[in-house]
Amino acid sequence: MALTAVTLRRVVQRYGPLLLAVTVAAAVWASATGDIGVRSPLPGAVVLLIALGSAWAAGTIRTRRWPLFLAAAVCWLVLAAAAAGVVASYQAGLRLRGRQLATYLAGAAVVLTGGVVVGLEVGGVRRITTATPGNVLLLAACLVGLPLVLGLWVRARRDTLAALRDRAERLEREQEAHADRVRAEERTRIAREMHDVVAHRVSLMVVHAGALEVTAADPATVAAAALIRTTGRQALTDLREVLGVLRQAGPAVVPERGLDALDDLIGESRTAGLRVSRRDEGTPTALPATLGRTAYRVVREALTNVRKHAADAETTVCLRYLPDGLEVLVRNGPSEGGSALPGAGQGLLGLRERVELLGGRLEATSVDGGFLVRALIPLAGAA
């Protein structure tokens, strides 16, 4: 039903002026020939010329008004044809305001009075139709009053709908602004709580690691304390960036590393005690930044899982450069067990969603007692 209404509206907007022009021309001709009005004694060529002129005036009403008003006056005074006058009165009510509408009403009164004078001079059926008091009042109502009121009603309805539409849009903007304020307040609250809880504890960890680095006598203990202190400071830096994003009112992007930082990531993992090796296959090519960041995230999350669950296992990071994308594989061998670090269990799920957004796929499966994370990221999705 809605589709039919839209289609009908488009047809009317496109062909409405043409249909109106044809209707006015046919009505003027039928009136002058006596089919629906007073038969005119004028030659057919003159009647046809007036009908065509009225049709042109009605067809151009969207861009100019005065031709239709002039055609209405000519049709009524010369042929006693009412079609152009009815359209003109409707358009006056629809488009004119204030002084212009008052001027039109004065002009219509003059034309009707002129029609009375012409009817008295011509006599016969023309006099009975256009010059008797009862018919004059009826014609004034039909030619001017009713079409004018209809035009005024349509204009008032359009204005009301426009006002309601503006009000709805304003309310929607206000609701969006309120939602933005609520989101900003919630982001600020989350940032404050993260700072109070996480940043405080990480800072304490860094302070204690620094103290241990200074006071310890064992070189291995000093090296481990230095690694903890450095890692804690990097965690504080990353946390500050996240908190800064949360405190911002508008959208922001946290700086992320790409494949150029992959060696640093592997080096940090080796320093933490993992046995990690890297292997590249294929011909390295320039990759989109989005693809590089996603690949880095895959490797980082996979190495994090290795540290949590198989810290003593041999791990291999492999990048395969394909003609249409990049394949990332992180595989660790069997582990002798040990205490596993706590985790939320959402890392791989978030990675899978991130990879699928680029049109790729991510697999995480057990292989020969170890674990394999494989991500295939196409170039088309990251372009």
Side-chain angles (χ1 to χ4, degrees):
M1 182 67 69
L3 182 61
T4 303
V6 172
T7 304
L8 181 60
R9 188 181 300 111
R10 290 178 179 177
V11 171
V12 171
Q13 290 177 351
R14 183 172 182 178
Y15 300 105
L18 178 60
L19 294 176
L20 181 62
V22 172
T23 302
V24 170
V28 171
W29 178 266
S31 178
T33 56
D35 293 335
I36 58 174
V38 180
R39 183 178 181 85
S40 174
L42 296 177
V46 176
V47 174
L48 180 61
L49 182 63
I50 295 176
L52 293 178
S54 301
W56 172 81
T60 59
I61 188 60
R62 291 182 178 178
T63 57
R64 53 179 68 90
R65 294 186 293 268
W66 66 266
L68 180 60
F69 297 160
L70 178 61
V74 171
C75 286
W76 183 249
L77 293 175
V78 176
L79 302 177
V86 171
V87 177
S89 296
Y90 172 78
Q91 293 295 331
L94 185 64
R95 300 172 182 271
L96 300 184
R97 299 175 183 270
R99 183 176 299 177
Q100 291 182 337
L101 184 59
T103 302
Y104 174 81
L105 291 176
V110 172
V111 171
L112 289 175
T113 302
V116 172
V117 174
V118 172
L120 293 175
E121 292 293 329
V122 173
V125 179
R126 177 72 179 268
R127 177 176 183 177
I128 297 174
T129 305
T130 62
T132 57
N135 285 344
V136 170
L137 294 177
L138 181 61
L139 289 172
C142 295
L143 285 176
V144 181
L146 293 179
L148 186 68
V149 170
L150 179 60
L152 290 172
W153 177 80
V154 172
R155 186 180 70 185
R157 183 173 180 273
R158 290 181 179 178
D159 293 343
T160 302
L161 291 177
L164 292 175
R165 190 179 299 110
D166 292 340
R167 181 181 179 184
E169 293 176 354
R170 184 173 64 254
L171 290 176
E172 184 177 357
R173 289 193 297 267
E174 292 176 355
Q175 290 178 353
E176 291 178 355
H178 177 70
D180 291 339
R181 288 195 300 270
V182 172
R183 283 194 293 265
E185 293 173 358
E186 183 66 14
R187 286 158 67 102
T188 302
R189 185 187 65 81
I190 294 173
R192 184 167 56 250
E193 292 183 358
M194 289 181 64
H195 180 272
D196 293 342
V197 177
V198 182
H200 175 68
R201 295 186 180 276
V202 175
S203 299
L204 289 178
M205 180 185 69
V206 172
V207 171
H208 287 299
L212 181 61
E213 182 182 2
V214 172
T215 58
D218 183 17
T221 303
V222 173
L227 176 60
I228 294 174
R229 179 175 56 83
T230 303
T231 304
R233 286 181 175 178
Q234 182 62 44
L236 282 175
T237 300
D238 295 340
L239 184 58
R240 289 191 187 100
E241 291 177 350
V242 173
L243 295 180
V245 171
L246 287 175
R247 288 192 177 100
Q248 293 180 12
V253 179
V254 179
E256 294 190 46
R257 298 180 178 182
L259 289 179
D260 54 346
L262 189 58
D263 288 334
D264 295 337
L265 176 63
I266 294 176
E268 293 173 359
S269 299
R270 289 171 180 166
T271 304
L274 292 183
R275 293 177 291 170
V276 186
S277 61
R278 173 179 174 177
R279 184 176 74 254
D280 291 358
E281 299 179 1
T283 304
T285 57
L287 299 174
T290 304
L291 190 151
R293 289 194 295 267
T294 302
Y296 178 87
R297 289 283 299 272
V298 170
V299 176
R300 186 177 67 182
E301 181 62 28
L303 292 180
T304 299
N305 289 336
V306 172
R307 285 198 299 270
K308 290 179 180 179
H309 307 289
D312 59 336
E314 290 279 355
T315 305
T316 302
V317 176
C318 179
L319 299 183
R320 290 178 180 171
Y321 292 89
L322 306 175
D324 57 349
L326 177 69
E327 186 178 20
V328 181
L329 299 101
V330 181
R331 179 174 180 176
N332 63 273
S335 172
E336 296 181 359
S339 59
L341 296 176
Q346 300 297 319
L348 290 178
L349 179 60
L351 276 183
R352 179 173 286 107
E353 294 175 351
R354 187 182 183 99
V355 171
E356 290 177 352
L357 283 176
L358 299 181
R361 65 179 185 273
L362 184 138
E363 302 173 356
T365 57
S366 299
V367 177
D368 297 332
F371 203 76
L372 171 66
V373 176
R374 175 178 177 269
L376 183 60
I377 312 172
L379 286 173

